[in-house]
Amino acid sequence: MSRRVEGLRANSSQFTLEGEPFLILGGSIHYFRVPRAYWQDRLLKMKACGLNTLTTYVPWNLHEPERGVINFKDQLDLVAYIKLAAELGLWVILRPGPYICAEWDLGGLPSWLLRDRNMKLRTTYPGFTEAVNSFFNILIPKCEPFLYKKGGPIIAVQVENEYGSYAKDDQYMPFIKEALLARGINELLLTSDNREGLKFGGADGVLKTINLQRLSFGAIQSLADMQPRKPLMVMEYWSGWFDVWGEPHHIFQAEDMLAVVTEILERGISINLYMFHGGTNFGFMNGAVDMGMYKPQVCSYDYDAPLSEAGDCTMKYQLLRDLLHQYHSEQLPVVPPLQGRSAYQPVIIHRHLSLWDALHFTEPIKSTRPVNMENLPVNNGNGQSYGYTLYETTITRGGSLNSRKNIRDRALVFVERQFVGILDYKTPELALPDGKAERTLSLLVENCGRVNYGKALDEQRKGIVGDIALNHATLEGFTIYCLDMKPSFIKRLNSSQWSSGHQRHSFPGFFQARLHVDGHPKDTFVRLPGWGKGVVFINGKNLGRHWSIGPQKFLYLPGPWLQNGDNQITVFEEQRAEEKISFTDKSDHGKTTDVYKLPFCTLM
């Protein structure tokens, strides 16, 4: 389409584009969850499935990891992603937040916002709106040249995300809407909410859309009643569901999904498949849910989506393609071939480094009372965002150690660096062994992921967030170590005196092996049978967490993360390790449960 006159409009019961009826056949693929080398493969598969529109969130916390430090390069090159979509003939619906939910740490909001003890996220609190304005001053000018009116692919922009489920400030949505308009966003504006949220999450002059998985309870009709003579759209049709540690992998049967999608389209309703391809929560970026109990999400964001985490075309993909071809006058493009996959030979652990021998790589912080991660004086005054924090103090007796529910989220407890137990949400108290001499009490606290959905966003500070007590006496005199395990830290470890892999291991610790790759590296899956819990790094980059409780039994390792020749694999392991690391060419999501039989997806 060369001449642009009239963009996407919602002035009747159907969307129009250039005055002609237009049915949005959308799918979500997040650039930040897919290796950049695979962006084209995934978008070509989207196009070949019969979709015409790409939707993506924008994660503020990746693009501004420290206040005023902006990153839109390489994996985070949003402009390149939008351009690629245009080159492949896909329209784009941009969802710039600032809050995105997305099963992403703090819903995409940067943790440094929480350094302000009075912070009120997602409101017109000045400390929040000033930060949003500063970020939008960078983000929106990058996107504005790619609006439809400027010849670009962006046909609509979403105002915030699911605010009806938060709804703490009735001036907030008008503020976000104006923040977009004032910076030149003049395409169709949308909001996105579940059925209950529709009542509270809109903004004047902005089209409401709905999020759902099933068509029961008159959800679509409730949207139609709110907006008579307006087009209907399911902005998030949940093609599957996310997973949390310790519970089964959620699946959504292909036939059940297809039946609902078929009915939506037969009724002339536009749709966006969330997710079309989920990808991976690489590193420490997974979110968490807390509906009365805190549950961190796994690294895999497979979502049981039409394209698997590794980009495979599933049965859902084939069924959708058979359905969607009916909505095209021309034949669909050929589906790209699968990426190469390899089950590399197991590699042997050849050296080991105790965590206690690595502490000299991080500057100790002295404090009378514990300091939460975000308020530590590290990272240029931005605090610690992710990873682990070690808190040490001196005790002169044993007895009952009580967290006073101030551990966020999980602490390994040591006396004289000997493991004595775990403190977490379920276990707030622990018995310490007797002893009268001065001994070192150590608590290695992991931020397992900040909650990304619900009304508790302001309470997502991590580490030790208040006082802890021994025999009812408040502990003081802490030495604190920031262990955010950035690539620079993992690289510095190589200059340490490592022990041979055959020597007795000390936990927690770092374990290294070498994977030799001949020729062009291929995708694989890392498996750690017999290991406990920790983090895997490939050539210094954080691949993600592993945990024996599952359901996830692997870590997806993309070929582009590997290099021809030797590759260094470093595993930070909390409690137990084996002598080798294994690889497979097949994913294993563990025990499954059918999400369609659960009630909560209707309520989210």
Side-chain angles (χ1 to χ4, degrees):
M1 188 180 293
S2 54
R3 187 166 173 267
R4 302 287 175 90
V5 177
E6 184 177 89
L8 191 67
R9 295 289 183 269
N11 298 328
S12 65
S13 60
Q14 278 187 305
F15 286 110
T16 59
L17 187 63
E18 293 296 341
E20 297 295 324
F22 182 73
L23 185 67
I24 298 170
L25 302 173
S28 291
I29 303 179
H30 300 151
Y31 58 99
F32 48 95
R33 281 180 158 131
V34 180
R36 180 168 179 169
Y38 288 160
W39 285 356
Q40 181 163 322
D41 173 77
R42 306 312 194 245
L43 295 187
L44 284 172
K45 286 172 179 170
M46 170 180 275
K47 183 83 171 174
C49 193
L51 299 181
N52 58 25
T53 303
L54 166 69
T55 67
T56 185
Y57 283 131
V58 177
W60 182 6
N61 53 9
L62 288 188
H63 288 296
E64 193 175 4
E66 298 179 8
R67 190 186 290 270
V69 176
I70 303 298
N71 183 6
F72 280 88
K73 297 178 181 178
D74 304 323
Q75 182 66 44
L76 297 177
D77 193 340
L78 173 61
V79 167
Y81 191 60
I82 294 171
K83 284 182 176 179
L84 178 61
E87 290 167 8
L88 300 179
L90 291 165
W91 301 115
V92 173
I93 296 177
L94 189 68
R95 310 175 81 188
Y99 165 83
I100 63 173
C101 185
E103 290 72 65
W104 195 253
D105 188 275
L106 202 58
L109 301 175
S111 66
W112 46 259
L113 290 168
L114 296 174
R115 289 177 63 81
D116 179 350
R117 292 291 182 187
N118 300 312
M119 176 57 65
K120 295 178 178 60
L121 301 172
R122 303 179 74 193
T123 70
T124 52
Y125 174 72
F128 185 69
T129 57
E130 289 166 11
V132 170
N133 279 324
S134 177
F135 178 57
F136 273 18
N137 283 341
I138 303 295
L139 170 65
I140 303 305
K142 289 182 178 294
C143 302
E144 190 265 346
F146 301 99
L147 298 176
Y148 180 84
K149 288 184 178 66
K150 297 285 185 77
I154 300 174
I155 56 174
V157 176
Q158 185 174 300
V159 181
E160 234 265 354
N161 188 57
E162 297 176 316
Y163 195 68
S165 299
Y166 198 72
K168 290 189 175 184
D169 183 342
D170 59 12
Q171 295 303 307
Y172 176 67
M173 287 295 281
F175 159 71
I176 296 296
K177 174 189 170 184
E178 181 57 31
L180 296 171
L181 293 175
R183 291 166 175 82
I185 298 296
N186 53 13
E187 301 297 342
L188 182 68
L189 296 180
L190 312 166
T191 59
S192 169
D193 286 285
N194 62 25
R195 185 185 179 184
E196 286 302 307
L198 284 173
K199 303 170 186 174
F200 310 106
D204 289 343
V206 177
L207 184 73
K208 295 174 184 276
T209 67
I210 194 168
N211 303 338
L212 52 76
Q213 189 166 64
R214 60 188 80 180
L215 291 175
S216 54
F217 310 112
I220 295 290
Q221 190 57 48
S222 66
L223 176 62
D225 292 342
M226 287 182 181
Q227 298 182 137
R229 297 178 298 281
K230 291 289 184 183
L232 298 173
M233 180 173 183
V234 179
M235 175 56 80
E236 290 187 12
Y237 178 70
W238 300 319
S239 64
W241 203 246
F242 59 84
D243 296 336
V244 297
W245 289 110
E247 295 186 6
H249 170 58
H250 291 105
I251 60 169
F252 183 20
Q253 297 294 342
E255 295 79 5
D256 292 332
M257 184 209 72
L258 187 73
V260 182
V261 174
T262 299
E263 183 175 347
I264 288 171
L265 295 180
E266 285 178 348
R267 292 167 62 176
I269 299 169
S270 287
I271 191 171
N272 176 59
L273 294 161
Y274 187 99
M275 298 292 296
F276 180 73
H277 170 52
T280 308
N281 299 319
F282 291 116
F284 291 130
M285 299 311 299
N286 63 275
V289 292
D290 191 344
M291 302 294 181
M293 182 179 294
Y294 172 84
K295 299 177 181 180
Q297 291 142 4
V298 303
C299 296
S300 171
Y301 201 58
D302 179 84
Y303 210 83
D304 197 33
L307 276 187
S308 74
E309 179 180 10
D312 297 340
C313 298
T314 67
M315 175 62 73
K316 284 181 182 176
Y317 182 97
Q318 303 299 341
L319 292 174
L320 279 170
R321 191 168 190 264
D322 291 343
L323 170 66
L324 295 177
H325 92 272
Q326 304 170 34
Y327 293 85
H328 293 268
S329 57
E330 299 178 0
Q331 191 170 354
L332 294 178
V334 175
V335 179
L338 292 179
Q339 298 292 329
R341 196 77 50 80
S342 180
Y344 295 108
Q345 291 298 307
V347 293
I348 304 300
I349 299 299
H350 67 90
R351 62 180 190 167
H352 159 260
L353 178 67
S354 168
L355 172 67
W356 315 117
D357 294 331
L359 294 181
H360 63 281
F361 289 115
T362 182
E363 193 72 29
I365 299 159
K366 302 289 186 179
S367 176
T368 302
R369 297 287 177 85
V371 180
N372 59 288
M373 275 188 178
E374 297 79 4
N375 286 94
L376 290 174
V378 297
N379 295 319
N380 305 308
N382 289 274
Q384 181 180 349
S385 294
Y386 315 106
Y388 295 77
T389 309
L390 179 67
Y391 298 81
E392 292 193 326
T393 188
T394 300
I395 58 174
T396 55
R397 61 195 180 279
S400 176
L401 178 66
N402 194 309
S403 71
R404 294 179 174 172
K405 298 184 178 179
N406 285 324
I407 298 292
R408 304 283 189 277
D409 298 296
R410 184 175 183 271
L412 303 182
V413 182
F414 305 83
V415 175
E416 288 296 285
R417 297 183 170 171
Q418 296 299 306
F419 177 71
V420 295
I422 294 173
L423 291 174
D424 58 18
Y425 293 97
K426 295 180 181 178
T427 309
E429 197 166 1
L430 186 66
L432 299 185
D434 289 334
K436 294 184 178 179
E438 285 194 352
R439 295 175 298 165
T440 299
L441 171 68
S442 306
L443 296 96
L444 180 64
V445 184
E446 180 190 7
N447 165 7
C448 297
R450 295 182 181 85
V451 167
N452 58 268
Y453 178 87
K455 303 214 178 210
L457 295 181
D458 293 340
E459 300 158 22
Q460 294 308 304
R461 293 174 183 87
K462 298 296 183 177
I464 301 182
V465 300
D467 289 332
I468 59 176
L470 179 60
N471 301 326
H472 306 290
T474 298
L475 290 173
E476 296 184 341
F478 285 88
T479 302
I480 306 171
Y481 299 87
C482 167
L483 298 166
D484 45 15
M485 299 193 186
K486 293 181 177 180
S488 57
F489 175 81
I490 300 300
K491 184 177 180 179
R492 288 198 300 273
L493 295 180
N494 289 323
S495 62
S496 281
Q497 289 294 112
W498 292 65
S499 302
S500 162
H502 301 293
Q503 293 178 306
R504 188 171 181 270
H505 299 151
S506 169
F507 296 95
F510 298 90
F511 298 79
Q512 280 192 350
R514 281 191 297 269
L515 171 64
H516 186 82
V517 175
D518 290 319
H520 184 70
K522 296 181 180 179
D523 288 2
T524 190
F525 298 95
V526 179
R527 293 192 72 248
L528 293 158
W531 295 65
K533 184 181 191 303
V535 191
V536 178
F537 302 86
I538 306 296
N539 295 323
K541 292 175 64 176
N542 190 334
L543 190 63
R545 309 176 211 253
H546 74 90
W547 198 355
S548 59
I549 66 171
Q552 184 176 343
K553 302 292 186 183
F554 65 91
L555 284 169
Y556 169 56
L557 173 51
W561 280 47
L562 297 170
Q563 59 196 18
N564 183 26
D566 283 342
N567 294 267
Q568 184 186 79
I569 303 178
T570 305
V571 180
F572 174 69
E573 173 56 48
E574 295 180 8
Q575 288 187 285
R576 67 177 188 268
E578 291 293 324
E579 298 302 316
K580 64 182 181 180
I581 299 169
S582 300
F583 304 91
T584 178
D585 56 3
K586 297 178 179 63
S587 60
D588 178 6
H589 290 279
K591 183 180 178 183
T592 64
T593 186
D594 189 344
V595 71
Y596 209 52
K597 296 175 182 176
L598 302 175
F600 60 80
C601 289
T602 307
L603 305 175
M604 291 293 282

